[in-house]
Amino acid sequence: MASQMTSVRTRRGLGIAARRSIATRPMKVTVIGGAGYVGVVTSVGLAHIGHEVVAVDVDQGRVALLQSGQSPIHEEGLQGLLRDCLGAGRIRFTTGLKDAVRQGEVIFIAVGTPTRDDGHADLSQVIQVAEHLAEYIDRYKVVVVKSTVPVGAVELVRSILSRRLVEGEHFDVVSNPEFLREGKGLVDFFHPDRIIIGTSSPRARTALRRLYAPILARRVKWHVLGATVDRERPVPLIETDLTSAQMIKYAANAFLAMRISFINEIAGLCERVHADVREVSRGLGHDVRIGLAYLEAGLGFGGPCLEKDLRALLRIAAEVQYEPRLLRATLERNELQVREALNHIKQMTGYLLYKRIVAIFGLAFKSGTSDVRNSRALRLIQELLAEGAIVQAYDPIAVAAAKTAQPNAIYFDDPLKAARNAEILVIATDWREFRNLDFAALRTRMAQPRILDARNLLDGRQLAALGFQYKGIGTP
Ligand code: UDX
């Protein structure tokens, strides 16, 4: 480990590796877990930049769907690219792991790592894949761990493989974390802010450089403060050791979560001193040392990653007897945020929610997706139902998923119907289309014209002019 760290530190610049010209040639790539979110985006992305990809998954239904050119996930641009790559014969989907492993030069592990009840990441899928790889690998392969796994888990993969195979001769292991945002996964794949390659093997490092060469060679626009500036810079390639690569992923997600909790805490303070958190975010974010992203106050962070990775990091800290105060506070602040929204609803409606109708617009964990995993909107609905309220819910695309996760709300595919007789309307995700709702018509449907804009999405002044009682988060 010590020698690895030294080589990382002495590399040029801030760990950004020297760019060598590498001839791009198509590589044979296998993606295990190729029908999951990260797996599909990675498979289609790699096929699109010219590689021959076999995506393998145990989910027969999803594999059949993907093979027929249909994406099981809602992701902008994915369906079109999937069909192009299938048409060009650069990608295929299969359930046959052994053949898929034998064909690949580079093997990605992109299976799920859900959180167990005790807060630990459930590594059973990763372990199972490693066991199969140990059995099936018949010549040198670069095994790339894409799934977010606790520090040490990649070592586990390495030790499972080493029981039957010789490291360096039959395989090398790389940690290559993804930073894909749902809804923007393909943009993030083709225009990454950086690519992280964590390995001690020069041979594996070269293979990964070659794999990503088309992306590394592309000179992307440099986004500063949300605006595109004229200068261009190459995609930074960070080459480091295995453990630091995994830590980068955890630290990145923890940092984003911390920014959101930070601005939510400031929002609470703004409310009490009659300041406006949107103005504070703007003034804060234009400091180039801070930046504007992830400073939107609201219901807190949801989704499958930020909280899961934060909890995993807390477990890692506990295992090494380290007290991560800031990380713990980040999570605690997030838990509070839904309760604050509930308090606003109570204040606006007169406290007793029993049998009162609350309309909730937006059900997924954020806009642009139908994913309701760890959705703050559903958490709020759960709290409202516990108070005896009747919840009428609407979302442009997430109603089916929300119904399964929370059957006790009443769901509508039309916002006007969802608002009928409601005493308050809560905007719970930041769908831009909510800005263009027919608020005059909504007002006539509602029992009381009240809006809690829990994502600070709407124009409060305009709504007040229409006769609504309007409240944002962290606004006076
Ligand atoms: C995140 C990371 O961004 C990505 O790099 C990682 O690979 C996976 O986890 P994702 O879960 O798709 O991606 O969602 P993201 O867009 O980051 O939003 C996470 C949550 O934070 C959402 O619930 C969103 O509404 C909330 N959020 C985000 C805020 O409340 N305020 C903000 O300013 C930004």
Side-chain angles (χ1 to χ4, degrees), residues 161-181:
L161 295 179
S162 297
R163 268 193 249 133
R164 282 181 178 227
L165 307 165
V166 179
E167 188 168 7
E169 189 182 326
H170 299 119
F171 75 92
D172 277 308
V173 176
V174 178
S175 167
N176 170 225
E178 49 79 22
F179 300 95
L180 309 173
R181 288 164 300 170

Side-chain angles (χ1 to χ4, degrees), residues 412-430:
F412 297 87
D413 53 13
D414 175 350
L416 289 178
K417 288 183 185 151
R420 241 182 117 135
N421 296 328
E423 301 210 16
I424 186 164
L425 162 63
V426 182
I427 303 291
T429 59
D430 54 348

Side-chain angles (χ1 to χ4, degrees), residues 1-58:
M1 174 67 76
S3 64
Q4 282 172 12
M5 293 301 290
T6 314
S7 77
V8 171
R9 288 210 190 94
T10 52
R11 204 163 278 127
R12 211 153 53 96
L14 296 166
I16 296 173
R19 202 162 306 270
R20 298 195 190 126
S21 62
I22 298 164
T24 54
R25 69 160 174 84
M27 296 179 82
K28 291 186 191 314
V29 183
T30 300
V31 179
I32 304 174
Y37 176 76
V38 173
V40 173
V41 174
T42 305
S43 300
V44 172
L46 288 170
H48 184 70
I49 60 174
H51 299 299
E52 287 172 38
V53 179
V54 180
V56 54
D57 204 287
V58 290

Side-chain angles (χ1 to χ4, degrees), residues 1-8 151 155 158 200 241-244:
M1 174 67 76
S3 64
Q4 282 172 12
M5 293 301 290
T6 314
S7 77
V8 171
V151 175
E155 288 300 330
R158 213 167 156 187
S200 55
D241 60 282
L242 263 176
T243 316
S244 302

Side-chain angles (χ1 to χ4, degrees), residues 160 174 195 230 318 384 397 403 423 430 436 451:
I160 293 172
V174 178
I195 289 177
D230 242 359
L384 287 164
I397 58 172
K403 229 181 235 179
E423 301 210 16
D430 54 348
N436 305 321
I451 293 182

Side-chain angles (χ1 to χ4, degrees), residues 178-180 182 249 294-296 302 305 365-366 455:
E178 49 79 22
F179 300 95
L180 309 173
E182 276 194 40
K249 169 68 196 230
Y294 287 79
L295 283 183
E296 281 170 26
C305 293
F365 82 91
K366 63 176 183 181
R455 294 287 177 180

Side-chain angles (χ1 to χ4, degrees), residues 246-278:
Q246 295 167 79
M247 207 50 199
I248 288 168
K249 169 68 196 230
Y250 277 118
N253 273 354
F255 191 77
L256 296 175
M258 192 179 70
R259 282 178 73 102
I260 298 168
S261 277
F262 171 81
I263 203 64
N264 283 332
E265 186 143 305
I266 295 294
L269 211 49
C270 283
E271 269 165 19
R272 284 152 184 91
V273 300
H274 308 292
D276 186 333
V277 74
R278 292 165 300 186

